[in-house]
Amino acid sequence: MRFLLTDEQRDFARALDGMLGASGTPAVVRAWAAGEHKPGRALWARLAEAGVFGLAVPERHGGAGLLPVELALSFTELGRHAVPGPLVETVAAAAFLERLGSDSLAGEWLPRIAAGEAVLSLCAGAGPYALDADAADAVLVVRGDTVCRTDTHGPVQTTLDPARRVARPLGGTVVARGPAVTAAAAHAIEVARLATAAQSLGLGRALLAATVSYVKQRTQFRVPIGSFQAVKHRLADTLIALEFAQPLVHAAALAVAAGAPSAGREVAAAKVAAGEAGHGAARTALQLHGALGYTEELDLSLWIRKARPLRDAWGSPADCRARVLTG
Amino acid sequence: MDLEFTAADEEFRAEARAWLAGHVPATPLPSLETAEGFAAHREWEHWLAADRWSVVSWPEEYGGRGASLLQWLVFEEEYYAAGAPGRVSQNGIRLLAPTLFEHGTEEQRARVLGPMARGEVIWAQAWSEPESGSDLASLRSAAVRTDGGWLLSGQKTWSSRAAFADRAFGLFRSDPDATRPHQGLTYLMFPLDAPGVTVRPIGRLDGKPAFAELFLDEVFVPDAEVIGEPGQGWRIAMSTAGKERGLTLRSPGRFTAAAERLTALWREAPEGAGPALGDRVADAWIGARAYQLFTYAHASRIVAGDAGGLGAESSLNKVFWSELDIALHETALDLLGPYGMLADDADEAPAHGSWAEGYTFSLAGPIYAGTNEIQRDIIAERLLGLPKGRR
């Protein structure tokens, strides 16, 4: 197991961070929350150019191969900048289609996913809803050993994170059936959990950084509130949670890359730790920003409101803890 | 563990595993905080040393194997997975020895390290004083210059292992006129049976004399016992304190082994335990795994020549492992139900009392080696860049 990132991996993450930092993501998120997907799709196109979606698509379909470590690194950056949309679902759908063994389905979708032209939503495992069904080009719905494709859905439901809009997929045509579907879905859930964990980690890092800089400049009783021990200790605990979640996410990515039998457990462990760390960072950010943090005007609210749904997406903490105990 | 170890690392692991399988006592030794247990653990150190397993990371000339950092971690993993005894010589091996390797003289290394490695001389740490705990620089015990050496006077306290140990190391104020409290301190070694030394054991929470107070009345120690330059004690001791908080005190093997045992305990009766306890078992496992991976990542950086080293990052480690240790043991006691409250020396204590002993020991974690409150201040100020404030 290689614990150190290569220079290329480091540069890739840094470049993505720089690009997203200059993209004005808060406006994109607010538009997405209003059902206006255009700026989001434009951002997706740029992410595809940077190679993000190709990380989940094999070379023969125009991607770079499933590269879980790079995927985790990019999703950390996507989380750091709160990029909206069914990002996890699209790469999980790619992982699913790649494993399914259907050349026609793979040929139809994978090159378009790699190019950033196709946005997919995937509904597999827990819950009746598909994320961003109204923004997706298609929704794949896995039930047991059957997978359907549908373009229709019920009314859009808002969630605690206004940028996460869900709907029930309706109707659909069966596109594959059999044990390959079950196996591919299990793999896709693993990839989805990994990407979600990485997103939580990046989200938490951003929340911590913003809060640290806020408590340095906000004064009360004539001193910065960051000099109070109660404030410092809460931030120290937030950093500890994030620092110890990070190697779990990295190791989970390595386990998925190696196809290790332990991957399911490693991914579940990473998901619990990163989800809780991101959610904890949001609680800390809210508390230390005070009433200001409780307003939707503050851009940071876009990050704060994401933390809880991410913690619960693709396997709640309880589900993932149970998976850890299975061994 | 799916690290990519070299063939030499794997050979080392296999050799350690085989040796431990053949030598670890079938029944755990009595608590090392009792006279009987201390003697038994001292003997265990002797057996470890006889086959050069007591200080694997030391150079061969001092009884080690010149093991790399990763190999040391491997050894620790195997050691705890085998259920081997706690290390009574830990203070010396983990705290004093690194300081001697870095700041000691050739003569000191030759004289001190061999007997330490063989368990012939067990060392106690003597830093804290009644008025100097977290604010260690405020210490008042004095070292006064005399012919060929120093006269030590004052009082040390919370001195771990000192009830039964042979020698101690600590800081003394050698220049009372120094302008700042960190200056004018000297790092010295001294025997606990020297004239002028009185050792008063202190019972910890469970009554075992895990530490002691030391009263020093003009105790003579020769110049040869000064580590580094007189007056430079603070700097030298702090290079050791970083080690105490960091990698070298609490290797991940200890926690991963405990987490595996905890998971096994839960599997014996998951339905009786209930889902809430199951969640805590999972969290303890995740925490131990996180600590292991964090340590491996850190070690990889050190091996790759990133001397970022321990520094303030060791404070992250210290808070994390000390809280993890308590969570692991509290969860185990809860799983044991009515048997969880039995003391480690009770006949009917589960697992020969090892959970109870470990629980008591874990409770000290957030207090010693710099309280977790102090660690959180360090994290906030040095890693997050927050302004200093009144404590």
Side-chain angles (χ1 to χ4, degrees):
Chain A
M1 186 186 289
R2 192 188 155 82
F3 280 95
L4 302 178
L5 296 179
T6 64
D7 288 344
E8 290 75 22
Q9 288 168 334
R10 234 183 280 270
D11 290 347
F12 173 63
R14 206 172 295 139
L16 212 49
D17 181 28
M19 188 269 270
L20 289 168
S23 296
T25 51
V28 180
V29 178
R30 290 186 191 280
W32 195 276
E36 168 55 64
H37 300 129
K38 226 177 183 171
R41 291 293 290 246
L43 185 56
W44 276 53
R46 297 180 63 193
L47 290 172
E49 247 170 75
V52 169
F53 297 107
L55 298 171
V57 173
E59 284 180 57
R60 65 196 161 90
H61 290 296
L66 179 62
L67 297 174
V69 174
E70 284 77 1
L71 203 63
L73 288 173
S74 20
F75 271 78
T76 304
E77 298 310 321
L78 297 175
R80 196 191 303 276
H81 295 281
V83 178
L87 296 151
V88 168
E89 291 65 23
T90 296
V91 298
F96 174 78
L97 291 169
E98 194 264 319
R99 274 295 167 95
L100 200 56
S102 156
D103 284 344
S104 61
L105 278 175
E108 180 189 354
W109 289 107
L110 293 181
R112 293 177 58 208
I113 290 176
E117 289 158 9
V119 172
L120 288 185
S121 193
L122 176 69
C123 197
Y129 298 115
L131 177 64
D132 293 313
D134 59 329
D137 297 299
V139 179
L140 298 177
V141 185
V142 181
R143 299 272 182 257
D145 68 347
T146 303
V147 57
C148 291
R149 180 209 158 151
T150 177
D151 304 316
T152 52
H153 57 83
V156 169
Q157 308 293 312
T158 50
T159 74
L160 294 173
D161 171 9
R164 276 181 86 87
R165 295 147 44 92
V166 299
R168 287 174 196 270
L170 298 175
T173 355
V174 175
V175 292
R177 193 192 292 277
V181 171
T182 320
H187 172 65
I189 289 172
E190 229 161 63
V191 170
R193 282 185 177 176
L194 172 65
T196 308
Q199 238 181 333
S200 291
L201 187 63
L203 188 84
R205 293 275 188 200
L207 285 160
L208 175 62
T211 308
V212 165
S213 74
Y214 178 72
V215 302
K216 281 187 199 173
Q217 53 93 11
R218 164 76 172 167
T219 60
Q220 289 285 266
F221 310 106
R222 289 189 296 270
V223 290
I225 62 171
S227 65
F228 301 142
Q229 208 170 31
V231 170
K232 281 180 177 170
H233 287 194
R234 183 148 188 174
L235 288 166
D237 284 335
T238 305
L239 178 67
I240 291 169
L242 291 164
E243 287 286 337
F244 282 87
Q246 180 147 332
L248 284 168
V249 171
H250 186 59
L254 289 166
V256 172
S262 62
R265 190 186 208 188
E266 299 275 357
V267 168
K271 176 79 172 55
V272 173
E276 298 286 19
H279 182 238
R283 292 282 321 281
T284 297
L286 179 57
Q287 183 67 26
L288 300 186
H289 277 80
L292 187 67
Y294 196 65
T295 58
E296 67 167 346
E297 280 93 347
L298 185 76
D299 277 345
L300 201 66
S301 71
L302 304 173
W303 277 255
I304 290 174
R305 290 184 290 183
K306 242 180 202 3
R308 171 84 198 198
L310 273 185
R311 165 186 174 273
D312 299 339
W314 291 101
S316 66
D319 291 342
C320 291
R321 287 185 174 109
R323 178 65 191 83
V324 166
L325 288 175
T326 310
Chain B
M1 182 66 210
D2 36 4
L3 257 176
E4 275 169 17
F5 291 109
T6 64
D9 294 341
E10 290 302 343
E11 217 170 283
F12 178 84
R13 183 192 289 279
E15 197 187 344
R17 186 177 292 180
W19 188 89
L20 289 161
H23 290 80
V24 170
T27 309
L29 303 181
S31 167
L32 62 82
E33 313 295 6
T34 62
E36 178 203 9
F38 199 90
H41 280 78
R42 192 195 281 270
E43 195 183 343
W44 167 249
E45 290 295 322
H46 168 77
W47 291 118
L48 276 174
D51 289 324
R52 288 192 303 121
W53 291 112
S54 72
V55 286
V56 294
S57 60
W58 291 11
E60 294 192 12
E61 60 176 309
Y62 299 114
R65 291 171 176 252
S68 69
L69 182 57
L70 280 180
Q71 284 174 340
W72 175 74
L73 289 166
V74 163
F75 174 73
E76 293 280 302
E77 243 170 46
E78 294 299 326
Y79 189 87
Y80 287 103
R87 301 294 301 275
V88 68
S89 55
Q90 179 163 270
N91 282 322
I93 291 172
R94 303 279 181 246
L95 300 178
L96 177 58
T99 310
L100 289 178
F101 280 121
E102 208 174 320
H103 304 282
T105 63
E106 198 58 48
E107 183 276 328
Q108 286 172 334
R109 285 191 284 268
R111 173 163 54 91
V112 171
L113 295 177
M116 182 194 289
R118 294 189 293 273
E120 290 160 13
V121 174
I122 306 278
W123 289 81
Q125 171 266 106
W127 286 352
S128 294
E129 296 186 5
E131 305 300 329
S132 305
S134 293
D135 182 13
L136 186 59
S138 68
L139 62 85
R140 291 189 297 213
S141 287
V144 177
R145 200 81 187 91
T146 188
D147 261 1
W150 302 79
L151 292 173
L152 309 183
S153 295
Q155 184 184 353
K156 295 285 180 181
T157 192
W158 317 126
S159 185
S160 300
R161 307 292 101 74
F164 306 112
D166 307 292
R167 290 173 65 82
F169 52 92
L171 285 173
F172 293 85
R173 193 162 296 288
S174 52
D175 179 4
D177 302 324
T179 46
R180 295 182 57 229
H182 301 77
Q183 292 169 351
L185 297 174
T186 296
Y187 200 162
L188 285 141
M189 303 178 277
F190 58 96
L192 289 172
D193 59 358
V197 179
T198 307
V199 178
R200 189 185 79 84
I202 304 172
R204 67 173 179 188
L205 277 185
D206 65 357
K208 297 193 182 75
F211 34 40
E213 277 181 306
L214 308 176
F215 299 92
L216 304 163
D217 182 14
E218 301 204 327
V219 178
F220 175 77
V221 288
D223 284 324
E225 304 294 350
V226 174
I227 305 173
E229 292 297 310
Q232 295 297 310
W234 182 260
R235 189 177 56 80
I236 295 163
M238 284 308 103
S239 73
T240 315
K243 291 181 173 71
E244 184 180 14
R245 287 171 202 148
L247 283 184
T248 56
L249 181 64
R250 288 288 172 263
S251 61
R254 192 163 161 270
F255 304 109
T256 48
E260 292 300 337
R261 279 196 266 274
L262 181 70
T263 310
L265 196 61
W266 182 80
R267 287 202 175 118
E268 283 169 23
E271 66 289 336
L277 265 178
D279 280 358
R280 285 168 57 197
V281 173
D283 280 340
W285 188 92
I286 294 168
R289 178 73 174 139
Y291 185 69
Q292 178 186 42
L293 290 163
F294 186 87
T295 307
Y296 278 119
H298 204 142
S300 300
R301 291 214 306 277
I302 293 171
V303 171
D306 177 352
L310 299 165
E313 281 188 44
S314 67
S315 296
L316 294 170
N317 246 10
K318 202 271 169 166
V319 175
F320 192 83
W321 70 246
S322 57
E323 293 191 344
L324 169 64
D325 203 20
I326 291 179
L328 275 163
H329 287 90
E330 281 188 335
T331 307
L333 297 196
D334 284 344
L335 278 171
L336 293 170
Y339 303 101
M341 68 177 169
L342 294 178
D344 61 278
D345 54 4
D347 294 344
E348 297 180 7
H352 301 282
S354 57
W355 286 117
E357 169 82 11
Y359 169 70
T360 303
F361 186 61
S362 76
L363 291 178
I367 300 166
Y368 67 78
T371 63
N372 282 10
E373 283 71 25
I374 292 292
Q375 306 302 343
R376 287 187 171 94
D377 282 346
I378 294 172
I379 292 165
E381 288 167 16
R382 298 200 207 147
L383 296 177
L384 295 176
L386 293 175
K388 273 187 179 292
R390 277 183 304 230
R391 300 282 180 226

